[in-house]
Amino acid sequence: MAVVLLLYTFTAGMLIDVPARFVLHETIRNLFFHVPVWFTMILLLLVSLIYSTLYLRHGKLAYDIVAEQLAKVAVVFGVLGFLTGALWGNYTWGDTFSWLFADTKILGAFIGLLIYVAYFILRGSVPDEEKRARISSVYSIFAYILLIVFIFVIPRLTDSLHPGNGGNPAFSTYDLDNTMRLVFYPAVFAYFLTGCWIASQLIRLRILHYRKHNINI
Amino acid sequence: MNHSKVFVALLRKEVLSEWRNKYAISGILLYLLSIVMLIAFTFETTDDRTWMVMFWIAILFTSVNAVAKSFLQESEGRQYYMYTLAAPQLIILSKMVYNTLLMLLLSSIALLLYVVSLGYPVADSLSFLIAMLLGAMSFAATFSMISAIAGKASNSATLTAILSFPILLPVMRILIRISLRALPQESLQVNAQDMLYLLALNVFIVVLALILFPYLWRD
């Protein structure tokens, strides 16, 4: 457990790089915000999933705490992804909200958020910790894997305005030049680290809470 | 006992317990009837698109009620007893197969009621029937697994709905897309891709459930 915590505090130290703002013209700047935020959500949820499987394998409550807090932070990033996406859509597609449910990729992301809100409600309705941890781990694995299938597979089968779908190439193929790459990849990394850092704080808080109540984890 | 024997016994047990609780299945049928009548009386006449979308929504809500109870209805004691007798994989698989059959029955009844009250506008019946079959499979599989999860928590009836609707939303979308294409003309060829995809998704759900279910039942 100490190793996990150390690892997280270590990442916190690297946070100084975060405000990777690079002023470019046009809304393409949003690429540094919208896209990394989604990547971060998916990555955080992936790590959360890994901890859920670890919990099912070893039965240590600490793994479940990590999984829960990571999912929490991921949902926040997901909401941010929606907000930045709405802003972007406002300028490029000409309308903020009307496309919201017409697009399969957005639908996938929306489902993802719904799944994790449901996950928290599920957690809330099981009072016993061990049981809660096990049940929610099972649900999270079940739902996440299906979510990945929806987000990455379904949109490729249908038409969509969103870049990277339905014959629209993603940005990287034509207009992500090298300077932007220099900002984009660190941005993804930085957001991910920020997410991990926030989650690590939340995890420590939970662990302290358990210690305070003398629950052995 | 070998696996297939246990499986058949479990399936038999499902059918028997449904038969002995006739009020449950009649409740579902009444529910279905009221939904269809509600749609029929509020829309009076429907255009084809509304007909189809409302049909699937009716099926979805019926299946929440029909399938979701599959793990909720059994007392804890009986569940423990079952787990001493059979492998958990077999239990979930038998529930899924039984629920698929139940869903097929219910969707046919729904279709019948629907046709009687609102007419039948579908040109490509084969596509539509395959969609109904695939839909029954995915609803049954998802709701069986989710109700196993929700059955462990309090207020499980609400939980089943909120846990499974996000997962079923894309499934519904594909189902409705297939059926809308089936409305105007023969479209089996166009629909084949979506159908295969849905089938793959069903297999995926079943496999995931088989892997994860054994973790659920131990208390």
Side-chain angles (χ1 to χ4, degrees):
Chain A
M1 192 60 231
V3 178
V4 177
L5 275 181
L6 270 179
L7 209 66
Y8 278 121
T9 29
F10 177 62
T11 55
M14 298 177 80
L15 256 185
I16 300 154
D17 291 344
V18 165
R21 271 169 230 232
F22 177 65
V23 182
L24 251 178
H25 309 294
E26 302 296 327
T27 60
I28 202 159
R29 260 182 297 165
N30 207 344
L31 182 75
F32 303 137
F33 304 102
H34 178 64
V35 185
V37 159
W38 282 120
F39 280 13
T40 306
M41 177 179 112
I42 294 295
L43 282 175
L44 285 175
L45 288 178
L46 184 67
V47 181
S48 165
L49 172 86
I50 292 167
Y51 274 97
S52 290
T53 29
L54 278 178
Y55 175 78
L56 286 183
R57 293 225 136 219
H58 303 292
K60 282 205 187 103
L61 215 48
Y63 291 133
D64 180 59
I65 296 174
V66 176
E68 184 200 5
Q69 306 303 335
L70 281 171
K72 241 183 221 173
V73 180
V75 167
V76 174
F77 274 91
V79 173
L80 283 178
F82 261 110
L83 292 179
T84 49
L87 209 62
W88 208 350
N90 193 16
Y91 289 107
T92 49
W93 296 340
D95 198 335
T96 317
F97 291 110
S98 65
W99 43 267
L100 194 56
F101 298 102
D103 182 279
T104 37
K105 200 164 203 171
I106 296 166
L107 184 79
F110 180 68
I111 292 166
L113 284 186
L114 276 186
I115 284 176
Y116 279 90
V117 173
Y119 169 78
F120 294 124
I121 293 173
L122 175 66
R123 295 190 69 94
S125 51
V126 187
D128 176 62
E129 271 113 9
E130 295 278 336
K131 205 172 163 187
R132 172 170 64 208
R134 204 178 58 241
I135 294 168
S136 57
S137 297
V138 168
Y139 180 67
S140 143
I141 297 169
F142 188 67
Y144 181 82
I145 294 180
L146 290 177
L147 172 69
I148 289 299
V149 174
F150 298 147
I151 291 187
F152 291 106
V153 183
I154 292 189
R156 312 229 179 278
L157 294 178
T158 54
D159 288 330
S160 162
L161 274 176
H162 200 285
N165 292 141
N168 293 341
F171 278 106
S172 55
T173 44
Y174 59 99
D175 54 5
L176 195 65
D177 64 13
N178 281 330
T179 35
M180 280 182 67
R181 247 171 252 270
L182 270 181
V183 183
F184 179 67
Y185 293 118
V188 174
F189 194 55
Y191 280 110
F192 180 58
L193 287 184
T194 319
C196 287
W197 178 71
I198 298 172
S200 76
Q201 300 301 319
L202 289 172
I203 291 160
R204 287 161 141 198
L205 203 66
R206 280 308 284 172
I207 287 174
L208 284 178
H209 175 80
Y210 277 94
R211 292 243 173 88
K212 192 177 151 205
H213 296 282
N214 288 321
I215 298 167
N216 197 20
I217 45 173
Chain B
M1 270 205 283
N2 59 2
H3 287 325
S4 55
K5 250 186 184 164
V6 178
F7 181 71
V8 172
L10 282 169
L11 213 56
R12 217 175 99 85
K13 174 236 149 216
E14 292 290 334
V15 178
L16 272 180
S17 68
E18 191 75 67
W19 183 249
R20 285 178 192 159
N21 283 321
K22 281 187 217 70
Y23 69 92
I25 188 87
S26 15
I28 297 295
L29 287 178
L30 196 59
Y31 183 87
L32 189 57
L33 183 69
S34 358
I35 292 190
V36 175
M37 286 304 134
L38 188 68
I39 295 170
F41 287 129
T42 43
F43 280 97
E44 288 177 6
T45 52
T46 54
D47 58 76
D48 294 354
R49 199 188 151 84
T50 322
W51 188 94
M52 196 52 97
V53 173
M54 289 314 288
F55 176 73
W56 281 110
I57 290 177
I59 297 275
L60 177 70
F61 277 87
T62 314
S63 64
V64 180
N65 286 285
V67 180
K69 65 173 177 49
S70 60
F71 277 90
L72 312 181
Q73 70 183 3
E74 283 171 17
S75 65
E76 291 227 338
R78 197 201 286 177
Q79 287 197 21
Y80 286 130
Y81 177 59
M82 269 168 57
Y83 293 127
T84 60
L85 292 179
Q89 282 93 346
L90 283 178
I91 293 181
I92 184 83
L93 203 62
S94 71
K95 290 258 188 206
M96 281 175 176
V97 171
Y98 170 71
N99 283 330
T100 308
L101 296 177
L102 181 68
M103 276 313 301
L104 277 179
L105 179 72
L106 287 177
S107 359
S108 341
I109 295 173
L111 185 63
L112 191 71
L113 290 174
Y114 221 73
V115 170
V116 170
S117 57
L118 286 164
Y120 185 71
V122 184
D124 181 4
S125 297
L126 186 60
S127 281
F128 184 52
L129 288 180
I130 295 177
M132 270 173 62
L133 176 70
L134 289 171
M137 276 169 69
S138 25
F139 288 169
T142 314
F143 281 126
S144 303
M145 181 60 188
I146 295 291
S147 86
I149 292 175
K152 300 280 174 193
S154 52
N155 72 333
S156 31
T158 331
L159 265 183
T160 314
I162 57 167
L163 292 178
S164 48
F165 280 4
I167 295 177
L168 283 176
L169 224 152
V171 174
M172 279 286 278
R173 233 180 115 95
I174 303 178
L175 281 174
I176 290 179
R177 198 168 64 199
I178 294 176
S179 348
L180 285 180
R181 279 202 207 112
L183 275 177
Q185 79 265 351
E186 287 285 320
S187 47
L188 200 57
Q189 305 242 296
V190 196
N191 276 331
Q193 193 198 15
D194 275 356
M195 285 169 179
L196 273 180
Y197 183 70
L198 206 56
L199 190 66
L201 203 63
N202 283 342
V203 173
F204 210 73
I205 293 174
V206 173
V207 169
L208 267 178
L210 285 182
I211 295 169
L212 290 171
F213 185 71
Y215 290 102
L216 263 183
W217 64 270
R218 308 179 266 200
D219 258 323

